[in-house]
Amino acid sequence: MAGVALTDRQRLDWLRLIRSESVGPRTFRALMNRFGGAAAALEALPDLARQSGRTLRLCTPAEAEREFAALQHQGGRLIALGEAAYPKPLQAIDSAPPLLAVIGAADALLRPCVALVGSRNASAAGQKFTARLARDLGEAGFVVVSGLARGIDTAAHEASLGTGTIAVLAGGLDEVYPPQNEPLFRRLLESGAGISEMPMGWAPRGRDFPRRNRLVSGLSLGTVVVEAARKSGSLITARFANEQGRQVFAVPGSPLDPRAEGGNHLIREGATLCAEAAHVIEALLPLVEFEQWPGGGGAVMRDGAGEAPPQALWDELDLPGITPAPKTELPAETAWQDKAWQDKALPSETSDQGINLLDLLGAAPISIDDLVRASGRSARDVSRELLELELSGTVLRQPGGLLTRLMP
Amino acid sequence: MAGVALTDRQRLDWLRLIRSESVGPRTFRALMNRFGGAAAALEALPDLARQSGRTLRLCTPAEAEREFAALQHQGGRLIALGEAAYPKPLQAIDSAPPLLAVIGAADALLRPCVALVGSRNASAAGQKFTARLARDLGEAGFVVVSGLARGIDTAAHEASLGTGTIAVLAGGLDEVYPPQNEPLFRRLLESGAGISEMPMGWAPRGRDFPRRNRLVSGLSLGTVVVEAARKSGSLITARFANEQGRQVFAVPGSPLDPRAEGGNHLIREGATLCAEAAHVIEALLPLVEFEQWPGGGGAVMRDGAGEAPPQALWDELDLPGITPAPKTELPAETAWQDKAWQDKALPSETSDQGINLLDLLGAAPISIDDLVRASGRSARDVSRELLELELSGTVLRQPGGLLTRLMP
């Protein structure tokens, strides 16, 4: 698959769009679909916002250029969705970041990855097992992905320094958290990479960590949870992995050990018990050989397994005015050229206001697909009216793109 | 279900038959099917043996009466397969003992049972967890079944003394093993029971323990393995439980703990992870409510999960001359009357020697069913000829009833 590449101008526009107020990955995609390109979307956004009586702060060209410069200064670069350097498994997820900031050995992103996550307050045994697992997975050719946190994450990165490991940061690439892992981060860049979807200088807030976790699982063919209490970020990662159609592994532990509760729970819910690296390798090797990167719709674990991410992970959820496209198929790679977007965004359908969407909407969340089916109207037409309804504050979009009517 | 009861005379004949040389539970059943009753089988056995140039030691009436007396002296009794006091789940297994020696509160045998088994060299944590599990299962109304061994077994019995627990002995009921658990055995008889299929005075040999394990699992709706190394008796019990169509539970543990290897392995093979009593209760309660005691043919765990019992668990395997009936349906309860056996044993089929069975037999084991199909002859006729072939030493019956031809 020959990758396409954005022009410098396009990359700048993409960066400006994704850095503008209330635009997240799904909204970005919706805007691209609606306006055919980032430049056109940037042009249209102020008007869209005005229609709902809001103002929307756009990222200026100067700001975007400063981010480019800061990243370059660190030796990093921005990889765009659809480009050859963008990791295919991540591209397959619902909320893939349009731009990925990368430093270090970016080619690690193109090797088969396994996520290894777990408790910050890990036991000595948990860390020892993690190190053994990471080493064995590395020797088997896998890149170990984790979140640079204390405990399990640290043990995973350290044991795979020689074979390649990727740290996914919740803040900007110059905002390493926790600070004491700054030296580890520097070391892992030699044969691995650091990545982030956040701007340089962005200090991570609490909500950025679960959001980041979707990238940890999304980069990876499988996610292994080593030690996790009942309510923990690792279970959010497992939930993401499952929703992304990726295999979830969990390391068992004694029922008397609270740190084993999360893992044991995951196993009961359908995660694969992992007691050694071979259990992961034998499950993932077929995916590597056939280069199959599963997309969403994971149904291996029971519904509700893992920990649901907190509401409003995405800034875009607060944006009235854009109907996102969570289920939209990725366009072919060439379609990422702005021109191709433009073509796709101009269908010949005409509006048909036969059925009032508001009558179809209520307190129970409903998907756009269902709305299209129920209304008998075109998807484009439904999207357009939803936009108005959202801008007027009558309709609210929930996580996952489901819509509810706000009752007065 | 009104139980039938053997007459004193029948019970004596049954005891003589099962205590005769080379007669095990399956052979017992085959003989009953062939000769219609224990008395007739006892009469026919010497001739059968003579035909193959062997002598076969029968249990004398005096010996059987001495066993009765010894058991009665201990306050025990013999319950026959098909009687109301015989536990239904045990009756459903392939190799149910025709007679069960019981002391203590025999009604415990009629309550829903769960087996709790594990390592003799159990960790303190394993014993603590076992005690908690046994207590919670007892409070939920389950009788805890185990094997009176050190470690996990002991912890399971001790914690369920108040709610009822059953010890299944590998030797006679007067041969408690290990001896230091004699006091525990006495205490558990107050609200629970001790059972054995072996004669009074029988000191357990090594091979009697795996044989005994099938009764532990067979009595129980489910078997929980708490701590078990890779090669251990508990895994044999798990294997029996699976083959008997019963649910297998395993308690997980750290992959760094060798005592968790067996349990983690079972979970990977399909056993249900048990981290608390609720996991067992929620799985077994439906069986209790609907009084469903699954029979053989368990297919929940992958083939080969658990530990295969050693070959030649049964003395009857050494017996040439009897075609056992491992897959034979249990006759209706009334059929356990000798008269009913007699009726069943006299079909009107006539022999047809068209196809030589020896030609159909080779080194590869084959079932009687397959032999019947392949030969096109009646089951009765095939059985009869197999008997001759076995007596002559030409055909050998393998565990599970499969037949091979002994090549000269």
Side-chain angles (χ1 to χ4, degrees):
Chain A
M1 290 195 283
V4 295
L6 298 192
T7 63
D8 287 351
R9 174 60 204 258
Q10 282 175 324
R11 202 178 306 267
L12 191 77
D13 289 338
W14 278 42
L15 185 58
R16 284 187 61 207
L17 184 56
I18 190 65
R19 296 292 184 240
S20 289
E21 190 183 352
S22 293
V23 177
R26 292 202 192 91
T27 308
F28 182 94
R29 197 183 293 205
L31 290 167
M32 294 291 276
N33 278 327
R34 177 123 157 70
F35 298 104
L42 285 163
E43 225 166 281
L45 263 182
D47 267 351
L48 270 183
R50 249 193 304 279
Q51 282 168 29
S52 61
R54 288 183 55 174
T55 53
L56 201 121
R57 204 182 138 348
L58 294 187
C59 170
T60 65
E63 286 167 334
E65 270 160 11
R66 268 200 298 280
E67 183 175 339
F68 267 132
L71 185 58
Q72 265 179 328
H73 182 72
Q74 296 257 333
R77 60 177 173 129
L78 285 172
I79 299 173
L81 195 66
E83 291 186 320
Y86 198 98
K88 293 283 173 294
L90 186 60
Q91 187 160 315
I93 76 170
D94 197 29
S95 56
L99 291 170
L100 213 51
V102 182
I103 53 175
D107 54 348
L109 290 168
L110 300 180
R111 290 171 51 203
C113 295
V114 177
L116 248 166
V117 300
S119 171
R120 289 189 298 277
N121 300 309
S123 70
Q127 293 178 56
K128 180 181 166 188
F129 180 80
T130 303
R132 181 193 293 179
L133 191 62
R135 198 162 39 241
D136 291 348
L137 289 170
E139 279 166 12
F142 288 94
V143 172
V144 171
V145 178
S146 198
L148 206 68
R150 288 187 294 117
I152 299 299
D153 287 19
T154 295
H157 288 304
E158 277 176 348
S160 51
L161 282 172
T163 49
T165 182
I166 295 171
V168 186
L169 302 193
L173 284 180
D174 52 353
E175 292 281 348
V176 173
Y177 183 89
Q180 61 264 40
N181 269 349
E182 176 85 40
L184 173 60
F185 186 62
R186 291 297 141 205
R187 282 171 66 206
L188 71 79
L189 297 182
E190 287 165 28
S191 62
I195 68 168
S196 171
E197 64 174 328
M198 304 309 271
M200 295 295 282
W202 182 275
R205 306 156 301 172
R207 62 194 284 191
D208 295 327
F209 291 93
R211 174 180 178 157
R212 178 272 315 267
N213 291 355
R214 88 189 194 286
L215 304 184
V216 171
S217 60
L219 267 174
S220 307
L221 302 180
T223 291
V224 188
V225 177
V226 180
E227 274 188 343
R230 260 302 182 128
K231 300 258 171 205
S232 72
S234 306
L235 295 197
I236 295 177
T237 314
R239 173 80 165 252
F240 277 127
N242 191 48
E243 287 174 0
Q244 291 162 352
R246 310 296 162 82
Q247 194 153 354
V248 179
F249 303 85
V251 178
S254 163
L256 298 176
D257 179 359
R259 279 178 286 225
E261 269 185 25
N264 288 345
H265 174 68
L266 287 174
I267 293 167
R268 277 185 57 80
E269 297 294 318
T272 301
L273 186 150
C274 166
E276 51 184 290
H279 297 157
V280 178
I281 296 165
E282 73 187 28
L284 298 186
L285 224 45
L287 300 182
V288 175
E289 283 163 3
F290 296 103
E291 291 211 5
Q292 293 181 327
W293 324 125
V300 177
M301 295 204 303
R302 291 184 217 171
D303 195 42
E307 188 72 13
Q311 298 283 326
L313 261 186
W314 313 101
D315 291 337
E316 63 186 331
L317 292 182
D318 306 318
L319 171 75
I322 293 300
T323 306
K327 298 278 182 189
T328 305
E329 279 294 298
L330 272 179
E333 287 184 19
T334 50
W336 288 98
Q337 309 277 11
D338 274 9
K339 182 64 185 67
W341 280 99
Q342 191 78 40
D343 293 341
K344 283 175 70 79
L346 291 170
S348 57
E349 300 155 12
T350 52
S351 175
D352 161 12
Q353 297 284 345
I355 296 178
N356 190 340
L357 291 188
L358 267 188
D359 292 342
L360 297 172
L361 284 160
I366 183 174
S367 73
I368 298 178
D369 285 353
D370 288 339
L371 212 52
V372 168
R373 260 191 297 278
S375 67
R377 288 161 54 180
S378 74
R380 177 165 181 79
D381 188 50
V382 167
S383 295
R384 193 168 282 169
E385 188 181 336
L386 278 176
L387 194 60
E388 318 283 328
L389 292 171
E390 288 178 85
L391 287 167
S392 69
T394 321
V395 165
L396 186 72
R397 200 163 50 68
Q398 309 281 355
L402 299 178
L403 298 144
T404 49
R405 179 174 175 179
L406 290 173
M407 300 303 180
Chain B
M1 292 195 281
V4 294
L6 299 191
T7 64
D8 287 349
R9 174 60 204 259
Q10 282 175 323
R11 200 178 307 269
L12 191 77
D13 288 339
W14 278 43
L15 185 59
R16 285 187 61 208
L17 185 55
I18 190 66
R19 297 293 183 241
S20 289
E21 190 183 354
S22 293
V23 178
R26 292 201 189 91
T27 308
F28 182 94
R29 198 183 292 205
L31 289 167
M32 294 292 274
N33 278 326
R34 176 122 158 71
F35 298 104
L42 285 164
E43 227 165 280
L45 263 182
D47 267 351
L48 270 184
R50 250 191 304 277
Q51 283 167 29
S52 62
R54 285 184 54 172
T55 52
L56 199 121
R57 206 184 134 351
L58 295 187
C59 171
T60 65
E63 286 167 333
E65 268 161 12
R66 268 200 299 279
E67 183 176 342
F68 267 133
L71 185 58
Q72 265 179 329
H73 182 73
Q74 296 257 334
R77 61 178 173 126
L78 286 171
I79 300 173
L81 195 67
E83 291 186 320
Y86 199 98
K88 292 283 175 293
L90 185 60
Q91 188 160 314
I93 76 168
D94 196 29
S95 57
L99 291 169
L100 212 51
V102 182
I103 53 175
D107 54 347
L109 290 168
L110 300 180
R111 290 170 52 202
C113 295
V114 178
L116 248 165
V117 299
S119 172
R120 289 189 298 277
N121 301 309
S123 70
Q127 293 179 54
K128 180 180 166 187
F129 179 80
T130 303
R132 181 194 291 179
L133 191 63
R135 198 162 40 242
D136 292 349
L137 289 170
E139 280 167 10
F142 287 94
V143 172
V144 171
V145 178
S146 198
L148 206 68
R150 287 187 296 117
I152 299 299
D153 287 20
T154 295
H157 288 304
E158 277 176 347
S160 53
L161 282 171
T163 49
T165 181
I166 294 172
V168 186
L169 302 193
L173 285 179
D174 52 354
E175 292 281 346
V176 173
Y177 183 88
Q180 60 265 40
N181 268 349
E182 176 85 42
L184 172 60
F185 187 61
R186 292 295 141 205
R187 282 170 67 206
L188 69 79
L189 296 181
E190 289 166 27
S191 61
I195 68 168
S196 172
E197 65 173 327
M198 303 309 271
M200 295 295 282
W202 183 275
R205 305 156 302 173
R207 62 193 286 192
D208 295 327
F209 290 92
R211 174 181 177 156
R212 177 273 314 271
N213 290 357
R214 88 189 194 285
L215 305 183
V216 171
S217 59
L219 268 173
S220 308
L221 302 180
T223 291
V224 188
V225 177
V226 180
E227 274 188 345
R230 260 302 183 130
K231 300 257 170 204
S232 72
S234 306
L235 295 197
I236 294 177
T237 313
R239 172 80 165 252
F240 276 129
N242 191 47
E243 287 174 0
Q244 291 161 351
R246 310 297 161 80
Q247 195 154 353
V248 179
F249 303 86
V251 178
S254 163
L256 298 177
D257 179 0
R259 278 178 287 225
E261 269 185 25
N264 288 345
H265 173 68
L266 288 174
I267 293 167
R268 276 186 58 81
E269 296 295 317
T272 301
L273 187 151
C274 166
E276 52 181 290
H279 296 157
V280 178
I281 296 165
E282 73 186 29
L284 297 186
L285 226 45
L287 300 182
V288 175
E289 283 163 3
F290 295 102
E291 292 212 3
Q292 292 182 328
W293 323 125
V300 177
M301 294 203 303
R302 291 184 217 171
D303 194 43
E307 187 71 11
Q311 297 283 326
L313 260 184
W314 313 102
D315 290 336
E316 63 186 332
L317 292 183
D318 306 319
L319 172 74
I322 293 300
T323 306
K327 298 278 180 192
T328 305
E329 279 294 297
L330 271 180
E333 287 187 17
T334 50
W336 287 98
Q337 308 278 13
D338 274 9
K339 182 65 184 69
W341 279 100
Q342 192 76 43
D343 293 342
K344 284 176 68 80
L346 291 169
S348 57
E349 298 156 12
T350 52
S351 175
D352 162 13
Q353 297 284 347
I355 297 179
N356 190 340
L357 292 187
L358 268 190
D359 292 341
L360 297 171
L361 284 159
I366 182 175
S367 73
I368 297 177
D369 285 354
D370 287 340
L371 212 51
V372 169
R373 261 191 296 278
S375 66
R377 290 161 53 180
S378 74
R380 177 166 182 79
D381 188 49
V382 168
S383 295
R384 194 168 283 169
E385 187 180 338
L386 278 176
L387 194 60
E388 320 282 330
L389 293 172
E390 288 177 85
L391 286 167
S392 70
T394 322
V395 165
L396 186 72
R397 199 164 51 68
Q398 308 281 355
L402 299 180
L403 298 144
T404 50
R405 178 173 177 180
L406 290 173
M407 300 303 179

